[in-house]
Amino acid sequence: MDTLYDKMKQKEDESSALLERYRTDYDLLNLKKYVLSDIKGKAIPDIINVTLNKPAIFAANIISSLGSCSQQTVVTSSRGSVDTHYIEEFQDAVYNAVNLRLQKRGQASLNSFADVQLCIRGRGVRRILFRLATQEDITKGEAEEVGQLIPDITSWDARYVTYERGINGLKWAAYHIDRNWSATEEQYGALMQKYGVYREGKNPVKANIADIWTEDHNEIWIEGKQVLEQPHDFGFCPVILEVVPLGYGNILMEEDRLQHEGESIFFMIRDIIPELNRLVSLLQTLNQRQLLGSMKYPTADTQQEPPDYPKSMEVVNVEKDLAPIDYGDARRAAEMVYNFLERSLQQGSISDIDLGNLQFPLSAVALVTVGENRDKVYLPRLDTKAYLNQRTAEMFTKQILQLGESSIELGTPGHTKNFNLSKIDGEYETSYKYFVKSPQLDIAKLTMGASALKMGLDRETVYTDIMQYEDPKGMIQKYYYDLAEKLSPNVLRNRTIIKLLEMAEDDGDEDAARDAQIMAAEIGASLEQIRQGVEVAPPEMPKPEGGEELPLLGGGKVGGVPRVASVTTPEGV
């Protein structure tokens, strides 16, 4: 019967084409030096090889943009008894505690790791093991006291992950990687000695280790030997895996479909980059040969074999007069090819507009159109990132509730809070929304939104569909809240007093306290009444001296000029 290790190795064999894709994308990301070769793959000598930095620029922009997106956590429930705000606060505290633990270990935060994985590997993987600390954990430095929550979430590089799906999720998942030998011995030394794990006649640097998790247990294999098997009672495989829905490998069921599942950001330009490098390398070589060109001279010796590739300053046998070798109109053809390749590259990645390289302004409509095209690169990965974080929150919540505690302390130093787990247990759904920020696009949307409002479109439609605010309902409420103090001097006066009181109480500002007291006295109210929100009738406005009171909606005869006596503005109004 095949072991899980055997199944893992079989999956790796089936994924060989996908692993090759990972390697190609890794080389593009890290600008592996380009070498011009012939159709047989043999390097061509005497070539100036050029490696363009375009894929690294593309990746850096996309990954940075994903990292700078604003995140919004939304918990919804049809049950009125569920405190959604409390649950959102709980989830934020968990993520903060996890990221602090990762930071102390010199590892990337969850979202930072996921951004790179979703862009380059096309998927994100996490192993989640929330548990209460034991004395052994204290000895290892995992915790400071017994019973303390250990928020253990480890990000796995999808390049080294194999798995098998079941009806309700993963049946098993394995992380198979070479690890520092001394670190492996430090953690598993006794088990390695017990099961005879060693490399005879070698001075090992790396240990091949496989960490395999199923729905009911965990296995550790080192150098192909199982050294540990331990059960767990989660009731599910504690690994989360989400794949970017591009490449269609899980839809178009061809034999080689695995290599196309969960495509990276390079999948539309993977073959264009080498061609650009080839073209630029050829042009640069031609430039040098133009300066230090090969020559030809007449000779009767036809027995001499010419070299396969003429080198710089090389002399080649011909039968006529001495003259430079003509390479043809290669430059014109190269210019045309470069334009085609550059256009294809920008269509499959990001354009000069996104990079800010244009020397002329664009209209608001053009900017929004460009933004929509750019979002097509982001959105599949943002959606996958949202699902990854959503499922992560669901899993760590289940694990925390399984601990059987009534409350748990979470957070970071100086910002910890004791959460009542009975308020976390309930029927609700968590979703994450991400918004890409761009000052240019924001200005363009504001311009279009202002025009739409002038044309009579309702504010909700403008805020939702045109300006695309994160919280359109909240922005509408804020608009009318701000409008109230513009329409009513008394509303403005009351809010000013409240803000002055906050400055006085929070910052100890004595001037603010004095100003608040003066303004309260002007409307015949005490500061205590203002604090408690007691309704105070506004002071009666004195009538203008020396004439009639001004009519509210105008006066006089229709079509005529209202008759007004001399008006004097009363002091203090």
Side-chain angles (χ1 to χ4, degrees):
M1 182 177 179
D2 289 343
T3 65
L4 281 173
Y5 188 83
D6 295 329
K7 293 181 179 180
M8 176 195 73
K9 297 292 289 183
Q10 182 181 351
K11 286 284 186 180
E12 290 176 347
D13 292 339
E14 294 173 358
S15 304
S16 58
L18 177 61
L19 298 180
E20 183 61 31
R21 192 197 87 189
Y22 287 155
R23 170 54 60 182
T24 300
D25 290 345
Y26 180 83
D27 291 341
L28 287 174
L29 176 68
N30 291 281
L31 301 179
K32 181 182 178 181
K33 296 301 180 183
Y34 176 77
V35 176
L36 184 65
S37 58
D38 58 21
I39 58 176
K40 295 181 179 180
K42 181 181 178 182
I44 301 176
D46 200 33
I47 292 292
I48 300 175
N49 294 298
V50 179
T51 305
L52 297 175
N53 64 349
K54 288 180 177 291
I57 293 175
F58 174 38
N61 275 274
I62 297 299
I63 293 171
S64 298
S65 296
L66 289 181
S68 62
C69 289
S70 59
Q71 176 178 295
Q72 187 180 52
T73 305
V74 181
V75 176
T76 56
S77 176
S78 59
R79 307 293 178 126
S81 59
V82 175
D83 188 344
T84 57
H85 177 73
Y86 190 83
I87 295 171
E88 290 171 6
E89 189 178 2
F90 162 76
Q91 293 181 3
D92 289 341
V94 173
Y95 276 118
N96 289 336
V98 170
N99 287 326
L100 177 63
R101 183 175 183 271
L102 293 171
Q103 180 187 6
K104 289 179 178 179
R105 285 159 174 75
Q107 300 173 5
S109 66
L110 291 179
N111 279 341
S112 297
F113 195 99
D115 291 339
V116 176
Q117 287 285 304
L118 295 174
C119 287
I120 308 304
R121 307 299 195 197
R123 60 209 70 203
V125 191
R126 291 170 181 167
R127 186 201 64 191
I128 304 172
L129 302 174
F130 277 55
R131 60 192 184 278
L132 297 178
T134 62
Q135 186 59 48
E136 183 180 357
D137 292 315
I138 296 175
T139 303
K140 293 178 180 179
E142 287 275 7
E144 297 178 356
E145 58 184 22
V146 174
Q148 178 182 340
L149 179 68
I150 299 179
D152 183 0
I153 300 182
T154 302
S155 298
W156 283 357
D157 184 350
R159 160 68 177 79
Y160 304 99
V161 175
T162 49
Y163 59 92
E164 183 178 342
R165 293 190 184 274
I167 298 176
N168 298 316
L170 296 178
K171 293 178 64 176
W172 60 267
Y175 194 45
H176 187 201
I177 195 169
D178 286 339
R179 184 185 178 198
N180 181 275
W181 184 276
S182 58
T184 305
E185 276 193 322
E186 183 179 349
Q187 184 173 2
Y188 299 108
L191 292 171
M192 292 169 69
Q193 185 176 4
K194 177 180 178 181
Y195 291 98
V197 178
Y198 61 92
R199 290 186 176 179
E200 187 175 355
K202 295 183 179 180
N203 182 20
V205 177
K206 297 288 185 179
N208 186 266
I209 184 170
D211 186 13
I212 308 176
W213 289 85
T214 74
E215 296 172 316
D216 56 18
H217 76 281
N218 165 233
E219 296 179 9
I220 301 294
W221 293 70
I222 302 176
E223 294 296 317
K225 294 184 179 181
Q226 184 176 354
V227 300
L228 179 65
E229 180 174 340
Q230 54 185 348
H232 67 74
D233 55 3
F234 295 134
F236 49 82
C237 179
V239 177
I240 296 293
L241 184 144
E242 288 293 331
V243 180
V244 174
L246 284 179
Y248 320 117
N250 58 344
I251 300 174
L252 304 176
M253 308 303 287
E254 299 289 344
E255 289 185 4
D256 62 346
R257 65 183 180 275
L258 286 179
Q259 65 178 305
H260 302 297
E261 184 181 359
E263 273 287 6
S264 74
I265 58 175
F266 295 133
F267 84 108
M268 288 189 288
I269 62 171
R270 194 175 286 125
D271 295 328
I272 295 176
I273 295 298
E275 289 303 316
L276 276 171
N277 287 335
R278 179 198 302 272
L279 181 60
V280 176
S281 297
L282 289 172
L283 290 175
Q284 194 71 333
T285 302
L286 283 173
N287 284 335
Q288 177 162 304
R289 291 190 178 184
Q290 187 74 24
L291 178 64
L292 304 173
S294 300
M295 303 295 291
K296 57 186 179 180
Y297 73 99
T299 179
D301 183 5
T302 58
Q303 301 299 318
Q304 182 178 349
E305 292 291 333
D308 292 337
Y309 300 100
K311 298 181 179 180
S312 298
M313 302 300 293
E314 179 128 23
V315 178
V316 182
N317 290 337
V318 295
E319 296 182 355
K320 295 186 178 181
D321 297 337
L322 179 69
I325 293 178
D326 184 11
Y327 288 101
D329 191 14
R331 297 182 185 281
R332 174 60 181 164
E335 182 180 350
M336 295 174 63
V337 173
Y338 179 80
N339 290 334
F340 283 126
L341 291 176
E342 185 65 27
R343 188 180 307 120
S344 298
L345 179 70
Q346 294 199 23
Q347 289 173 343
S349 57
I350 53 177
S351 65
D352 286 336
I353 301 173
D354 296 308
L355 295 174
N357 293 339
L358 287 185
Q359 302 300 318
F360 53 87
L362 291 175
S363 67
V365 175
L367 282 171
V368 171
T369 303
V370 169
E372 290 174 347
N373 291 333
R374 180 208 60 192
D375 288 347
K376 293 174 184 176
V377 180
Y378 297 138
L379 290 180
R381 298 172 208 285
L382 286 177
D383 288 343
T384 307
K385 182 178 178 179
Y387 289 132
L388 183 66
N389 283 332
Q390 174 186 336
R391 294 190 59 204
T392 299
E394 291 171 355
M395 183 170 286
F396 69 58
T397 301
K398 288 180 181 178
Q399 291 184 355
I400 290 176
L401 293 175
Q402 287 176 354
L403 297 175
E405 301 291 307
S406 59
S407 63
I408 206 79
E409 188 175 40
L410 284 167
T412 56
H415 298 87
T416 59
K417 180 176 178 179
N418 201 284
F419 287 91
N420 183 350
L421 295 185
S422 64
K423 298 178 68 175
I424 306 301
D425 191 7
E427 296 182 9
Y428 54 87
E429 182 181 23
T430 302
S431 61
Y432 290 84
K433 296 181 180 179
Y434 295 93
F435 300 89
V436 181
K437 292 298 183 181
S438 169
Q440 280 185 308
L441 290 179
D442 288 345
I443 293 173
K445 290 176 181 178
L446 285 171
T447 303
M448 295 178 64
S451 299
L453 289 172
K454 289 180 180 178
M455 293 172 61
L457 266 71
D458 65 282
R459 198 165 294 274
E460 182 177 358
T461 300
V462 171
Y463 283 4
T464 303
D465 298 335
I466 299 177
M467 305 179 81
Q468 298 177 351
Y469 284 133
E470 299 175 19
D471 182 16
K473 183 178 179 180
M475 291 299 294
I476 292 174
Q477 292 174 344
K478 188 176 186 304
Y479 167 76
Y480 287 109
Y481 179 87
D482 293 338
L483 185 62
E485 63 185 32
K486 295 177 182 178
L487 298 176
S488 171
N490 290 316
V491 171
L492 176 61
R493 186 192 301 266
N494 182 66
R495 291 179 182 174
T496 303
I497 295 174
I498 292 174
K499 289 297 181 183
L500 289 171
L501 288 175
E502 291 177 359
M503 293 169 59
E505 294 171 358
D506 296 342
D507 305 329
D509 190 331
E510 295 182 359
D511 291 336
R514 187 182 306 109
D515 292 344
Q517 190 170 13
I518 292 172
M519 292 188 69
E522 287 178 351
I523 62 173
S526 66
L527 293 180
E528 190 61 31
Q529 288 177 312
I530 299 293
R531 288 191 184 96
Q532 295 177 1
V534 176
E535 185 176 352
V536 179
E540 184 178 350
M541 302 293 291
K543 296 180 180 180
E545 296 179 1
E548 301 176 355
E549 182 180 358
L550 291 175
L552 183 63
L553 299 176
K557 296 180 179 180
V558 176
V561 178
R563 181 172 54 85
V564 181
S566 61
V567 178
T568 304
T569 302
E571 184 179 354
V573 176

